Amino acid sequence: MITAARVYHLLVALVGTSALAISLFISATSPVSGGALNGMIFTLSYFTVWSNIFALIINWALFADPTRDGKGFRWLRMTSLVMIVITGLIYAIILAASANPCGWGVYTNMGFHYIVPWATLLGFLIFGPRPRFTWDLVPKMMIIPVLWLAYTLIHGAVTVNAPGDTCSSTPLTTSTFWYPYPFINVDYNGTGAPSPLVPGLEAQGYAGVGINLVVIIILGLVMASIFVGLDRLLSRGRKPTPLNG
C-alpha cells in the first residue's frame, strides 16, 4: 500500500502542478492580461487556485512520505481537503454551466475542477494516512479560507485592470471593481447584489455577500466535521496519537 500510495499521490501532484504551471503561463502571455504580473496575480486570486495549491502541497508531501504525521500536517491536510472538495462541488453545481474553456484551458479546467479535487478525496479515502483528525482542527481549518475571503473583499473594493478572456476575445477592463466569483461580487451584473448561493437567501450589496459567506463557512465546518467522522470510521474508532508541542 505504501508503494501504491506514492504512485497515486505522484500522479495527482503531477496533474495539478502541470495545470497550475500552464494556467500561469497562459495568464502571463495572454495579450489581454494587462501584462505578465497582472495576469498571474488575477489567476492566483481564485479560490480554485488556492485550494489546488494546498492540495498539491499535500499530495507532494504524501508522495515523499505516505505515512506523514505532525500537527502542521494534520491541519494542512484537513484544510486542503475541505477547500478542494468545496472547489469541486461549487464548480460542478454552480459554475460549470457558464464555463467555456478553450485550448489548453480545457486541460487546466479539468485538472483544477475535476481531477485534483476528486482524486485528492479518493486518495484520502483509500490511503489515508489515518487516524489524523481531531475535533479541534474543525475551526482551525477555516484560517486559510478566511484569509482568502478577506483578500478578495479588499481586492474587490479597489479599482484594478482586470484581464480579459482570450477564448471570447474579451479585452482588458480598466479601472473596474473585480471579484472572482458571482456569489462574492457586491454588484454582480449591475444588480447591486451578489448571486445567491442559496435561492431565496439574498440581499443587496455587502449584506448579500455576508449571507453567502455564512453559507460558505457553514459548509466548510460541516465538511470538516464529516472528514473527522470519516477519519474515525475508516480507522475503526482509533484516535490519532496525541502530539506534543
Side-chain angles (χ1 to χ4, degrees):
M1 288 293 287
I2 295 295
T3 300
R6 284 187 190 277
V7 173
Y8 185 89
H9 292 300
L10 174 62
L11 292 175
V12 177
L14 288 174
V15 169
T17 301
S18 61
L20 177 62
I22 292 170
S23 182
L24 289 173
F25 177 78
I26 292 173
S27 62
T29 58
S30 171
V32 295
S33 68
L37 180 60
N38 192 60
M40 289 191 291
I41 287 174
F42 276 82
T43 293
L44 292 170
S45 294
Y46 284 91
F47 184 82
T48 289
V49 176
W50 280 45
S51 62
N52 272 269
I53 288 173
F54 284 105
L56 292 178
I57 292 171
I58 287 297
N59 276 288
W60 280 115
L62 289 174
F63 161 66
D65 180 8
T67 65
R68 187 177 296 275
D69 198 2
K71 294 188 72 172
F73 171 80
R74 292 180 181 184
W75 167 74
L76 192 57
R77 174 65 155 161
M78 175 177 281
T79 300
S80 64
L81 274 173
V82 172
M83 290 178 65
I84 201 67
V85 170
I86 287 179
T87 288
L89 286 174
I90 289 182
Y91 182 81
I93 296 172
I94 299 175
L95 302 174
S98 60
N100 295 292
C102 66
W104 280 102
V106 174
Y107 171 76
T108 60
N109 180 67
M110 183 68 68
F112 281 155
H113 296 118
Y114 294 103
I115 298 176
V116 174
W118 306 122
T120 298
L121 174 61
L122 186 61
F124 163 72
L125 295 174
I126 295 175
F127 300 111
R130 63 180 65 89
R132 293 292 185 270
F133 296 156
T134 50
W135 288 107
D136 65 300
L137 291 173
V138 173
K140 292 177 182 177
M141 68 82 207
M142 288 301 301
I143 293 173
I144 299 300
V146 167
L147 286 175
W148 176 82
L149 290 170
Y151 162 76
T152 299
L153 290 175
I154 294 171
H155 190 239
V158 298
T159 56
V160 294
N161 296 326
D165 184 354
T166 54
C167 293
S168 60
S169 299
T170 303
L172 179 79
T173 304
T174 58
S175 301
T176 187
F177 296 100
W178 182 87
Y179 297 87
Y181 303 106
F183 52 82
I184 202 173
N185 188 334
V186 295
D187 187 26
Y188 179 60
N189 276 350
T191 61
S195 174
L197 282 174
V198 179
L201 289 178
E202 53 192 277
Q204 294 295 103
Y206 283 104
V209 171
I211 292 172
N212 285 341
L213 294 187
V214 170
V215 171
I216 293 171
I217 290 171
I218 291 174
L219 176 60
L221 294 174
V222 169
M223 191 75 65
S225 300
I226 290 173
F227 283 128
V228 174
L230 285 172
D231 189 57
R232 197 65 52 82
L233 177 65
L234 295 171
S235 302
R236 299 181 180 179
R238 289 187 297 121
K239 296 181 179 181
T241 303
L243 298 174
N244 297 321

